[in-house]
Amino acid sequence: MNMKEFFGKFASLYLWGNLLAMALVVVAVLFGVQFGLKQYTHHGEGVKVPNLVNMYHNDAIVLAETDGLRIVVSDSGYNKKLPAHCILAQTPGYGTYVKAGHVIYVTVNSPSSPAFPIPDLIDNSSYREAEAKLLAMGFRVLPPKRIPGEKDWVYGIISRGRRVGTGDMESIDAPLTLIIGSGMYGDDDDIDYDFVESEAPVDNGGESDDFEEVEEELVE
């Protein structure tokens, strides 16, 4: 085969026709795949997530299912200002666009106050540190009770009239009173001033008797 015949076949309409047909097939396949993916994933379509916060759980389920969404409770919390079983938080948030059938994870308000262990504060922290930690946990802290000891040092915790210790489970609604040092010291520092009542002093008129009275024996 000479060069002229080779280039003649290369430039023939039949060859170029086959190449064009193959190119059209490739383009058609690419467009077909792209179109199919769009249809499968509902590209460009979405459902706007409704605002479920502060709604009752059952009402939120009805609203979500109306929009083709699902609700799953992922956590519980406690807010005494809100009714039980209402939604405190949601993910995804309000206004997000998602596909139909998407799951919305919600946090539901617990019907009862949770209990938390008392942290290691007694004889281990100052009043300011202890108060800040308890408030961060959600506890309500009453004005402190002072006893003789190192100033503002925590010596104990009272909950509803009883002493509590590290690790004791207490309701978040239980008010706590910190027993702290007044900065003054005395001879009775070891006395538990919360549970021992002070006795009234005996009035001897400022004088004390150091002798023992002995009855005189009568002699016949």
Side-chain angles (χ1 to χ4, degrees), residues 40-168:
Y40 180 76
T41 60
H42 301 281
H43 184 75
E45 300 178 6
V47 178
K48 185 178 181 180
V49 175
N51 187 11
L52 306 177
V53 176
N54 295 338
M55 290 185 63
Y56 281 104
H57 181 228
N58 291 338
D59 295 338
I61 291 177
V62 174
L63 177 61
E65 290 180 347
T66 301
D67 293 335
L69 304 173
R70 295 188 299 126
I71 287 183
V72 172
V73 178
S74 60
D75 199 2
S76 62
Y78 180 68
N79 186 335
K80 61 183 178 182
K81 296 181 180 180
L82 297 176
H85 306 296
C86 75
I87 294 178
L88 301 176
Q90 67 179 78
T91 304
Y94 168 62
T96 305
Y97 282 89
V98 297
K99 294 184 293 185
H102 192 83
V103 175
I104 302 176
Y105 296 95
V106 297
T107 300
V108 178
N109 198 28
S110 175
S112 59
S113 59
F116 296 103
I118 297 296
D120 185 13
L121 303 174
I122 301 174
D123 204 22
N124 193 36
S125 61
S126 67
Y127 170 68
R128 179 170 296 184
E129 293 171 342
E131 182 187 39
K133 184 172 290 187
L134 292 173
L135 291 175
M137 294 176 66
F139 285 107
R140 183 162 61 97
V141 181
L142 300 180
K145 181 176 181 62
R146 296 185 180 274
I147 63 173
E150 183 178 346
K151 185 174 178 60
D152 292 335
W153 190 248
V154 176
Y155 289 100
I157 301 175
I158 300 176
S159 174
R160 295 173 177 173
R162 61 184 179 85
R163 293 286 292 267
V164 294
T166 302
D168 290 345

Side-chain angles (χ1 to χ4, degrees), residues 200-213:
V202 178
D203 185 7
N204 292 324
E207 298 180 357
S208 61
D209 295 331
D210 296 328
F211 63 89
E212 180 180 358
E213 181 178 357

